[in-house]
């Protein structure tokens, strides 16, 4: 039974839910009550009162003093972890209800990798924007780990992430073949395909060590009997291609969407050199506006698979 002391107001029935949202925000702001209250647009005193009322309701301490901030107890940390995802699902259900009357207007917060900033994603979003002009797209390019964290925090609705992250709801959209990008002047540029060990003495241009494709590059090279000699690290494939085209090294990357001057793409022999592209969602059932983009990506992502 609900404790009437929890919140003596017209929204008393929703007070525990409100306090839980505020506790999650307090955790996200590292215990800084002022910042948490500002993020939620409520007075600091109101937030403090609700969290204390939640403590009385549960019969346990959730916060402890920590200098100018507030520390969360172990019980509070466990509680935040348990309610974060259900709260996102509730918010998504409320958004879906509000959007039912006008699903062609709204906002989608969408993320995608730095390595997909040229070609497939911009092409797809341009078509989506023309077909759904009333929907605003707030876009973010970032490393996969950051996109996962944003989905978990509820600051993104959808994201394309490589490889599929087990921490969030996802579906595999496509398998992307990786090829060898060589300067046109390279001795192997005329080959139809090559084994990776033929690049053992080459200098590589690759993504940073924390990126999925770099991990795959290093592993594939080791499997072929050599350690990759990475000369230049770059976060974006378009820039990698620019350097390859200028004869500064070779690279293992996805095929270019459009021809790139100075580069020859050569297939790799042996076991499949590919990686999976996933569409990830903050909630299991997004609102209707977000569903538009999710379904649109599903319908068009088949074109991203470039395996033979």
């Amino acid at each position: 039974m609900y404790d009437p002391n929890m919140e003596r107001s017209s929204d008393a029935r929703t007070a525990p839910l409100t306090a839980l949202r505020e506790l999650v925000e307090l955790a996200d702001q590292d215990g800084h009550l002022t910042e948490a209250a500002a993020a939620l647009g409520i007075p600091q005193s109101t937030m403090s009162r609700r969290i204390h009322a939640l403590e009385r309701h549960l019969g346990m301490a959730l916060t402890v003093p920590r200098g100018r901030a507030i520390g969360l107890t172990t019980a509070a940390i466990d509680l935040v972890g348990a309610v974060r995802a259900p709260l996102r699902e509730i918010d998504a259900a409320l958004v879906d209800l509000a959007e039912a009357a006008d699903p062609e207007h709204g906002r989608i917060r969408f993320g995608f990798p730095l390595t997909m900033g040229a070609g497939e994603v911009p092409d797809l979003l341009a078509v989506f924007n023309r077909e759904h002009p009333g929907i605003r797209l707030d876009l973010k390019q970032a490393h996969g780990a950051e996109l996962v964290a944003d989905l978990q925090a509820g600051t993104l609705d959808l994201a394309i992430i490589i490889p599929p992250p087990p921490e969030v709801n996802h579906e595999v959209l496509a398998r992307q073949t990786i090829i060898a990008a060589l300067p046109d002047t390279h001795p192997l540029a005329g080959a139809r395909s090559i084994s990776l060990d033929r690049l053992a003495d080459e200098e590589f241009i690759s993504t940073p060590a924390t990126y999925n494709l770099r991990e795959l590059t290093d592993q594939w090279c080791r499997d072929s009997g050599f350690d990759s000699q990475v000369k230049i690290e770059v976060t974006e494939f378009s820039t990698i291609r620019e350097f390859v085209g200028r004869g500064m090294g070779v690279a293992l990357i996805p095929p270019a969407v459009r021809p790139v001057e100075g580069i020859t793409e050569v297939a790799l022999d042996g076991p499949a050199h590919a990686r999976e592209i996933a569409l990830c969602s903050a909630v299991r059932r997004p609102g209707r506006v977000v569903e538009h983009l999710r379904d649109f990506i599903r319908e068009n992502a088949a074109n991203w698979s470039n395996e033979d």
Side-chain angles (χ1 to χ4, degrees):
M1 181 178 295
Y2 172 63
D3 179 359
N5 293 321
M6 184 75 192
E7 184 83 17
R8 296 185 182 279
S9 67
S10 59
D11 63 345
R13 293 181 181 179
T14 63
L17 185 61
T18 300
L20 287 173
R21 295 183 194 279
E22 294 168 359
L23 185 67
V24 170
E25 186 63 36
L26 183 63
D28 290 344
Q29 297 293 339
D30 197 27
H32 294 283
L33 186 63
T34 301
E35 286 83 348
L40 294 172
I42 59 174
Q44 179 178 328
S45 58
T46 299
M47 184 171 178
S48 179
R49 184 180 71 250
R50 287 174 178 162
I51 290 177
H52 287 315
L54 181 60
E55 290 179 312
R56 293 193 299 272
H57 176 64
L58 297 175
M60 65 178 65
L62 299 174
T63 61
V64 293
R66 192 188 67 190
R68 294 185 178 182
I70 296 174
L72 268 62
T73 64
T74 299
I77 294 171
D78 291 343
L79 181 60
V80 167
V83 304
R84 187 186 294 277
L87 287 175
R88 287 202 305 269
E89 298 287 347
I90 292 171
D91 289 340
L94 294 174
V95 168
D96 180 61
L97 184 64
E99 292 174 346
D102 187 10
E104 285 298 327
H105 289 83
R107 180 179 69 146
I108 303 173
R109 301 164 301 174
F110 178 66
F112 56 100
L114 293 167
T115 53
M116 295 187 75
E120 296 96 332
V121 171
D123 289 348
L124 180 145
L125 294 180
V127 176
F128 181 84
N129 184 63
R130 288 195 297 270
E131 294 185 3
H132 303 277
I135 296 177
R136 169 179 163 177
L137 295 174
D138 289 352
L139 305 178
K140 178 174 183 177
Q141 268 189 283
H143 188 278
E146 185 175 346
L147 297 178
V148 169
D150 287 342
L151 287 169
Q152 292 177 317
T155 55
L156 283 178
D157 301 306
L158 290 176
I160 292 173
I161 300 177
I162 306 171
E167 306 96 318
V168 295
N169 301 299
H170 70 268
E171 57 185 290
V172 176
L173 294 173
R175 281 177 58 82
Q176 184 183 63
T177 297
I178 304 302
I179 52 85
L182 311 176
D184 282 346
T185 56
H186 194 282
L188 296 174
R192 182 174 181 179
S193 65
I194 60 172
S195 58
L196 189 52
D197 59 5
R198 298 191 68 183
L199 300 178
D201 296 327
E202 300 290 340
E203 291 182 325
F204 281 76
I205 302 170
S206 186
T207 49
T210 56
Y211 281 57
N212 171 252
L213 188 54
R214 172 63 177 278
E215 294 174 355
L216 291 176
T217 295
D218 291 346
Q219 184 60 55
W220 290 336
C221 290
R222 285 194 296 269
D223 292 344
S224 296
F226 69 98
D227 291 327
S228 57
Q229 303 177 49
V230 177
K231 179 181 181 181
I232 300 173
E233 292 184 348
V234 183
T235 59
E236 296 182 351
F237 291 157
S238 58
T239 308
I240 289 177
R241 293 188 179 98
E242 291 284 341
F243 287 138
V244 172
R246 286 165 172 76
M248 297 174 66
V250 303
L252 302 185
I253 53 178
V257 176
R258 289 173 280 275
V260 179
E261 184 178 355
I263 290 180
T264 296
E265 297 181 346
V266 180
L268 295 171
D269 295 330
H273 297 88
R275 59 184 193 158
E276 292 182 327
I277 302 173
L279 178 62
C280 307
S281 174
V283 295
R284 289 171 294 178
R285 184 175 179 273
R288 301 177 197 212
V289 170
V290 175
E291 277 185 341
H292 279 317
L293 181 57
R294 183 198 64 185
D295 294 344
F296 185 81
I297 292 174
R298 283 174 173 171
E299 292 168 5
N300 291 274
N303 298 328
W304 294 351
S305 288
N306 50 26
E307 292 183 306
D308 295 332

